[in-house]
Amino acid sequence: MDASITDVAPPRTLVGRLRGAFAACRTALASTSRLALDIALPTLCVACRAPVSGDGVCASCWTKLSFIAPPLCERLGIPFVYDPGPGILSMQAIADPPAYSRARAAVRYDDVARTLVHGLKYQDRVDLAPTLGRWMARAGTEVLKDADAIVPVPLHWRRGWSRRYNQSGALAKVIGDIVNVPVAGRALARIRATPQQIGLSRSERARNVQGAFRVPVERRPEIEGRRIVLVDDVLTTGATLDACARALLRARAADVDVLVFARVVEAARNPI
Ligand SMILES: [Zn+2]
């Protein structure tokens, strides 16, 4: 008995030890790969890079973003201070109606929104597009509901080359995937390079982009008779979007609406 126990015991102990060693290795490997995963895929606030749970922005940046919600001008999407009733337009929409039918924006263009737009536009932060696109899809529910195609505002090819990608195209793709509407990424072409709009007055901006866009003949079937949602990152005076809408309407689009991430809201205003 004693002998058999002695005979059997050592291998068992060895197996037990080996099992223990393997288990320890597995645990170590698991925590190492978890660590590697944490390093490879950190969850950070897309605006300030502070750690966040989930994705998007941290609580502090969230409170600094001004999401646009009704009541707003049916036409331009400018928020009203109080609700004037359904269908009431802003003075701006009556005095200077744009070529597009309706515009909607996710947020006001202020500090955090500016950081996000600059990241997307000038720092190749493609990682921002899913979050911004998600907010835009929500803000644009009305205009996306009946859309046949989404068209991003194009960059001139020279600028697209130096900046490597079109930020409006990245947003359009995210929105198209969410609402299941095709993106006509090449339907609109910028036929001449325009100086940057920054620092120009409203009328200078309009002149700057006049006739700068066109629907190439071979792309007309993607536009003709279709309801289009034009997508861009920011609406400042709306001159670029207006020029794009005119080009789409010239190509016989049935209707053109606009959806942007952020829009400039000069001051709280109401129709009366
Ligand atoms: Zn933040």
Side-chain angles (χ1 to χ4, degrees), residues 48-60:
C48 74
R49 307 294 234 173
V52 280
S53 55
D55 58 352
V57 292
C58 69
S60 160

Side-chain angles (χ1 to χ4, degrees), residues 39-146:
I39 292 166
L41 300 166
T43 318
L44 300 177
C45 167
V46 291
C48 74
R49 307 294 234 173
V52 280
S53 55
D55 58 352
V57 292
C58 69
S60 160
C61 289
W62 180 266
T63 57
K64 288 182 210 141
L65 276 166
S66 316
F67 285 90
I68 295 176
L72 38 83
C73 167
E74 175 64 25
R75 189 84 198 271
L76 300 180
I78 299 171
F80 288 146
V81 183
Y82 63 88
D83 193 350
I88 302 294
L89 302 182
S90 59
M91 291 304 282
Q92 202 179 320
I94 296 163
D96 189 17
Y100 46 82
S101 297
R102 297 172 293 178
R104 293 294 180 267
V107 299
R108 288 174 188 237
Y109 190 54
D110 50 22
D111 286 352
V112 176
R114 192 175 294 114
T115 306
L116 293 170
V117 167
H118 279 220
L120 186 69
K121 213 168 184 160
Y122 304 115
Q123 293 155 20
D124 284 343
R125 295 274 315 277
V126 194
D127 61 303
L128 291 169
T131 304
L132 273 49
R134 208 167 54 233
W135 294 339
M136 289 169 74
R138 201 170 48 202
T141 313
E142 280 174 285
V143 296
L144 290 165
K145 202 170 56 193
D146 306 316

Side-chain angles (χ1 to χ4, degrees), residues 32 68 80 106 183 226 259:
T32 309
I68 295 176
F80 288 146
V183 176
R226 307 262 166 108
L259 180 58

Side-chain angles (χ1 to χ4, degrees), residues 146-177:
D146 306 316
D148 296 313
I150 297 174
V151 174
V153 169
L155 293 175
H156 188 265
W157 64 267
R158 256 174 292 172
R159 203 173 290 161
W161 188 261
S162 63
R163 206 188 280 163
R164 296 210 288 272
Y165 82 105
N166 177 2
Q167 74 280 358
S168 306
L171 295 172
K173 185 175 180 330
V174 171
I175 298 164
D177 286 347

